[in-house]
Amino acid sequence: MAEIASLPLFHQITGQSVLVLGDGDAAEPKRRLVERAGGIVIDDQARAIDEGVRIAFVAFEDAKACEVAAINLRCAGMLVNVVDRPDLCDFTTPSILDRNPLLIAVGTGGASAGLAKHVRLRLERILPQSLGKLALAMNRLRPRLRALFPDGGNRRRAIDAALREGGALDALNPGSAERADDWAASLEAVKPGTQNGSGDPAKPLISDFTLTSSDPEDLTLCQARLLGEADIVCAHGSIAPEILARARADAVRVVCDKATCPRARDEQAMPQCALSNAGLPQGLTVILRAGEAG
């Protein structure tokens, strides 16, 4: 399985104390970051330990002082970030693209903050400011969508169909937020039980394609989208982990050594493999075959 350098998490710290040790140019950005996220900055190490503070930033100029502080704070149960010392960090801070409440964090695990910044700056030019409004609109529509699609898989597929490129609520279209209510109303106008945004939810959707490269950059746009939306990924045993990593983390994965699946295009049944008896909900199955160089 392809590995990632660290586990990306968004931590809620509103109203919580965060310890920031140090002064000057290294510490001040950390104070601003904590305050921007709603946290309360404290700079007393003893108080932080007594109060059970969970997160600490260390930004002393003296390298030895940083090492000592990191050890003591970690022993007290805190997660520690030492500025410019990834070897002493329990976590690193990413470069943040803010489309509140949508946040995109770009990190390199401490390898190069400059690279993360310039990737974020490129994304700043591409992603519209309206993404935050769209996120708020989707949150507002949540009760209506749950009523329309009690099954989580059908609900996800309807949302995918709307938010994808060219969809009714294309995520990169600045006008999508204003169309969100009309989109929900159009779904409500359809006969109950038939909405799924992209077809009849009672029919299994199967897409299969042959890969001739182990490089995920060689995936077509369509293939990458299907992998990202699939409920089930059935892959030939030789498919590269880097390709499988492009699938949803919660997608069901079945690895099969058969190069072909005789029922892959049978619209009335799932492929004849472990899936047929898995009792899985209807959804999109992507079958990955290995070509000569796959």
Side-chain angles (χ1 to χ4, degrees):
M1 178 179 295
E3 296 183 354
I4 56 177
S6 56
L7 178 65
L9 301 171
F10 288 90
H11 197 84
Q12 300 286 347
I13 64 168
T14 302
Q16 299 180 18
S17 295
V18 175
L19 178 65
V20 181
L21 297 178
D23 297 302
D25 294 341
E28 189 57 33
K30 304 306 182 184
R31 291 189 173 90
R32 290 197 300 266
L33 180 63
V34 170
E35 292 171 349
R36 186 178 173 191
I40 301 169
V41 175
I42 63 174
D43 56 11
D44 186 318
Q45 179 172 329
R47 173 189 167 189
I49 293 174
D50 289 342
E51 294 181 358
V53 169
R54 296 182 296 170
I55 297 176
F57 291 94
V58 178
F60 293 128
E61 292 185 1
D62 182 79
K64 186 62 178 179
C66 287
E67 294 172 8
V68 172
I71 293 171
N72 291 335
L73 296 173
R74 192 171 292 113
C75 288
M78 297 188 206
L79 293 175
V80 180
N81 173 277
V82 181
V83 176
D84 291 333
R85 291 290 302 275
D87 56 308
L88 296 178
C89 291
D90 295 310
F91 68 95
T92 57
T93 52
S95 185
I96 299 172
L97 189 156
D98 185 1
R99 298 289 188 269
N100 193 38
L102 186 145
L103 298 175
I104 297 176
V106 182
T108 63
S112 174
L115 175 61
K117 179 184 73 174
H118 281 279
V119 170
R120 188 259 302 169
L121 290 173
R122 296 282 184 92
L123 292 174
E124 287 275 11
R125 297 203 299 265
I126 297 171
L127 302 179
Q129 289 291 331
S130 59
L131 276 173
K133 292 181 179 179
L134 181 58
L136 291 172
M138 297 305 294
N139 184 57
R140 186 181 68 251
L141 293 175
R142 189 186 297 261
R144 294 168 68 179
L145 294 174
R146 286 186 179 277
L148 280 168
F149 306 100
D151 176 78
N154 289 339
R155 186 166 60 251
R156 183 179 62 250
R157 284 185 287 278
I159 294 173
D160 282 345
L163 294 176
R164 70 168 57 112
E165 183 177 3
L169 302 180
D170 186 329
L172 299 193
N173 187 319
S176 290
E178 283 69 32
R179 292 194 293 271
D181 287 298
D182 290 339
W183 168 71
S186 70
L187 293 178
E188 290 167 337
V190 178
K191 181 180 177 181
T194 64
Q195 317 100 318
N196 75 341
S198 61
D200 182 354
K203 179 186 296 184
L205 306 173
I206 300 175
S207 177
D208 64 285
F209 43 87
T210 299
L211 301 175
T212 57
S213 169
S214 60
D215 187 347
E217 294 300 316
D218 291 334
L219 290 169
T220 68
L221 291 176
C222 179
Q223 290 170 343
R225 177 179 63 78
L226 288 170
L227 263 178
E229 296 178 1
D231 300 280
I232 305 162
V233 177
C234 183
H236 184 268
S238 64
I239 297 297
E242 291 79 8
I243 297 289
L244 295 177
R246 295 295 182 97
R248 283 180 19 228
D250 60 342
V252 175
R253 300 190 186 191
V254 177
V255 177
C256 179
D257 290 329
K258 295 180 179 179
T260 61
C261 181
R263 303 190 67 186
R265 297 187 179 279
D266 187 343
E267 295 183 350
Q268 302 304 315
M270 300 298 284
Q272 287 281 60
C273 61
L275 296 177
S276 61
N277 298 314
L280 297 168
Q282 303 294 341
L284 170 62
T285 297
V286 167
I287 300 173
L288 301 177
R289 307 179 192 278
E292 292 183 1

